[in-house]
Amino acid sequence: MVFTAKYADGYSLWPSNVHNPHAPDFHSERDLVGELAEAVRARGMKFGLYYSGGVDWTFQPAPVYTLGDYAYLPYGRDYADYAEAQVRELIQRYQPDLLWNDISWPTGQQRLNALFADYYNTVPEGVVNDRWTTASYTRQVMGAAPMRGGFDLFMKAVIDQPGVAEQASRPSVVPHSDFRTPEYEGYDTIQEKFWQQDRGIGGSFGYNRQETDADYASVESLLGDLMQAAANNGTFLLNVGPRGGAGEIVAPQRDRIEAVGSWLAANREAVDGTRPWRISLALTEDGTRVLFTRRGPDLYLTVLGRPSAAITVKGVELRGSGTLLGSASPFAVDSDAGDTVISAPFDGRFAPVVKIAGAA
């Protein structure tokens, strides 16, 4: 669970003692961060914190009209001191297992390295993401209005070209990170460095009242992203947000989360603690994707379809006795001319998982 401690609007969801010179007392009096940290850890889960280090509109009164404005509007030195002090406060108070910064970071690399050192000394098993691009001369130059305008013209010209949007969703490489964070886009090959696909359940991060059920990702799509990440040395972070008022997760979001949870209740063994196999993907005769994960000597095949009869996985040779997770009845797994035939009692449910003991 990764909680948004402070987003770009600058409002802090904990009673911060760090003074904001432009928006005094612009923070929650109730310790929402602390309460959620306690609840999450009581369930045996890890607790992480998101912090918008690159954007805080309380320190920049100019309107944000374009992507260039969002990414490159200049901030003063007082923001660098403020952001660092707030993150240090979060580390000391809540010891987050994961520190998730967004957009960029307002100090130089030396100060950031010192912050990382203090974080790891406080939370030895903690991890940080890759969105810590530090203050530089280039970013300072890009802060000028003509440069921001040129950036916007360039992006408008190239954003529809094949692969450009996908590349833009992947943060640039920084001197230090524990994992990569492509956004709304995963890797379809096994990666050496651990990674995490991040996306909203719809097109927005947080609740957007303009979005309807049709705007939210399907359960099938979410399970596909989850297992594609697991098969390729990654994980999947799904953003949901409560609406105003009672702070409820709206039914279309909740229904999808509960459906993924129900699938995990039967198939978690194919996800938790697993590693990539020698390949991550194969196809059945009808083009259905099959994703591979392994745990020790055991191999798991997640079929991203709704099979109701035996399937043939092309280009992979496997033999042995298989079981469907959630069922104890064994069945035959046979090799046939370089392919694998799985005679499982499929019943048409989406994403059944075949376990082949000792096949990995």
Side-chain angles (χ1 to χ4, degrees), residues 120-148:
Y120 290 129
N121 285 333
T122 304
V123 187
E125 298 299 318
V127 292
V128 300
N129 70 331
D130 61 343
R131 302 191 182 193
W132 300 85
T133 304
T134 52
S136 65
Y137 177 73
T138 300
R139 292 193 66 83
Q140 183 178 351
V141 170
M142 288 299 297
M147 296 299 293
R148 298 200 308 274

Side-chain angles (χ1 to χ4, degrees), residues 239-271:
N239 181 276
V240 297
R243 64 182 172 189
E248 296 174 326
I249 302 295
V250 295
Q253 294 190 17
R254 187 179 65 249
D255 291 346
R256 286 160 170 79
I257 297 168
E258 290 177 346
V260 172
S262 295
W263 184 89
L264 283 169
N267 300 292
R268 185 176 292 279
E269 185 180 337
V271 186

Side-chain angles (χ1 to χ4, degrees), residues 102-186:
D102 205 5
I103 313 299
S104 61
W105 186 247
T107 77
Q109 189 65 45
Q110 187 172 358
R111 283 179 64 175
L112 177 60
N113 290 344
L115 176 64
F116 283 163
D118 290 343
Y119 171 59
Y120 290 129
N121 285 333
T122 304
V123 187
E125 298 299 318
V127 292
V128 300
N129 70 331
D130 61 343
R131 302 191 182 193
W132 300 85
T133 304
T134 52
S136 65
Y137 177 73
T138 300
R139 292 193 66 83
Q140 183 178 351
V141 170
M142 288 299 297
M147 296 299 293
R148 298 200 308 274
F151 171 80
D152 289 322
L153 290 174
F154 172 77
M155 291 303 295
K156 287 179 180 179
V158 304
I159 195 66
D160 290 330
Q161 299 299 314
V164 172
E166 290 82 358
Q167 188 62 37
S169 76
R170 298 175 181 175
S172 58
V173 176
V174 292
H176 174 75
S177 68
D178 293 306
F179 60 97
R180 303 278 283 137
T181 58
E183 191 165 293
Y184 279 90
E185 181 73 20

